[in-house]
Amino acid sequence: MRRIVGWTLAAVLAAGSLVATGGMTSPAAALDNGLARTPQMGWNDWNSFGCNVNENLVRQTADIMVSSGMAAAGYTYVNIDDCWSTKSRNANGDLVPDPQKFPNGMKALADYVHSKGLKLGIYSSAGTTTCAGYPASLGYERRDAALWASWGIDYLKYDNCGDHQGKNGQQRYTAMRDALAATGRPILFSLCNWGQESVWTWGMQTGNSWRNTGDIQVTARPRAEPI
């Protein structure tokens, strides 16, 4: 448990994806869906655990965020990154949580995180596959958003890996923005397009936050990456 505390503290960030300004004289105005009025704060598993994410890790992290006082300080989100699903969709076309990693399913996990006064985040990509090769959401935006909403998901980190099928970033990310809105559930939308395609010109009306750069790498210390 002590190791998890250390990893959790190392992985928690003071803010989510960086918000760019739309001009030199006026502040940026991100997606107006009532979320991220201040920078989102929380934990993401990737930099410390990579694909070794599982239900127990997420539960223990939520417990520690509360017991350490981090939740009271405003660190709200417990976010699952890549590798959470099986390697293929089911017969209905839905994403499936890996039953070995998440034996009780995502709805039960979201309920547990919510019982701690925290919020649960999930990960996908605006391409055909995630960065680790799992099924992603391009062409499945409405289906995936509805599924996440049914689980009680509160946050989506949307990466930029996989085949983009000839669509530009604004098209791909706007499709997911609209799909999330259609669910009727407030889900914070974090664009992780690595600062490509002049995202600062269209990110404001598309997401609650967006990345200005690729991953941050620090020698001899855990990598820091926006949630």
Side-chain angles (χ1 to χ4, degrees):
M1 182 67 74
R2 184 172 299 169
R3 293 181 68 193
I4 293 176
V5 172
W7 286 334
T8 300
L9 292 175
V12 171
L13 303 169
S17 304
L18 298 175
V19 177
T21 57
M24 296 299 292
T25 60
S26 61
L31 180 65
D32 188 13
N33 60 357
L35 301 173
R37 297 302 194 191
T38 58
Q40 64 267 36
M41 302 195 297
W43 174 91
N44 178 290
D45 66 79
W46 184 257
N47 289 321
S48 290
F49 300 98
C51 278
N52 296 317
V53 61
N54 58 66
E55 180 179 303
N56 288 336
L57 171 65
V58 176
R59 286 174 175 259
Q60 290 171 3
T61 298
D63 292 343
I64 292 168
M65 287 177 68
V66 173
S67 65
S68 67
M70 294 174 68
Y75 292 87
T76 302
Y77 291 97
V78 183
N79 289 353
I80 300 167
D81 210 278
D82 207 345
C83 311
W84 60 266
S85 75
T86 56
K87 282 285 191 175
S88 60
R89 293 173 179 268
N90 65 18
N92 294 325
D94 288 329
L95 295 168
V96 180
D98 186 321
Q100 300 301 315
K101 297 176 180 178
F102 299 94
N104 293 301
M106 288 296 183
K107 178 64 167 64
L109 183 58
D111 289 345
Y112 183 84
V113 171
H114 293 158
S115 76
K116 298 292 180 177
L118 300 169
K119 298 178 180 180
L120 185 66
I122 204 75
Y123 167 97
S124 189
S125 188
T128 54
T129 58
T130 70
C131 297
Y134 289 77
S137 298
L138 184 62
Y140 291 89
E141 291 89 355
R142 294 275 175 154
R143 175 176 291 276
D144 292 353
L147 182 64
W148 297 326
S150 74
W151 291 343
I153 295 297
D154 305 291
Y155 187 117
L156 172 63
K157 175 183 173 182
Y158 206 41
D159 220 331
N160 200 29
C161 286
D163 184 351
H164 298 164
Q165 297 185 337
K167 297 181 179 180
N168 65 38
Q170 187 171 5
Q171 291 172 320
R172 291 179 290 113
Y173 283 88
T174 298
M176 182 55 79
R177 177 201 66 188
D178 295 344
L180 293 174
T183 69
R185 180 175 180 79
I187 299 176
L188 193 151
F189 188 28
S190 175
L191 281 59
C192 183
N193 90 319
W194 319 325
Q196 295 185 352
E197 298 185 69
S198 301
V199 64
W200 53 89
T201 66
W202 49 268
M204 286 179 284
Q205 64 267 30
T206 307
N208 294 109
S209 61
W210 55 95
R211 293 252 310 249
N212 288 336
T213 68
D215 291 357
I216 300 169
Q217 299 189 33
V218 181
T219 303
R221 286 186 291 175
R223 290 170 53 201
E225 176 178 291
I227 65 172

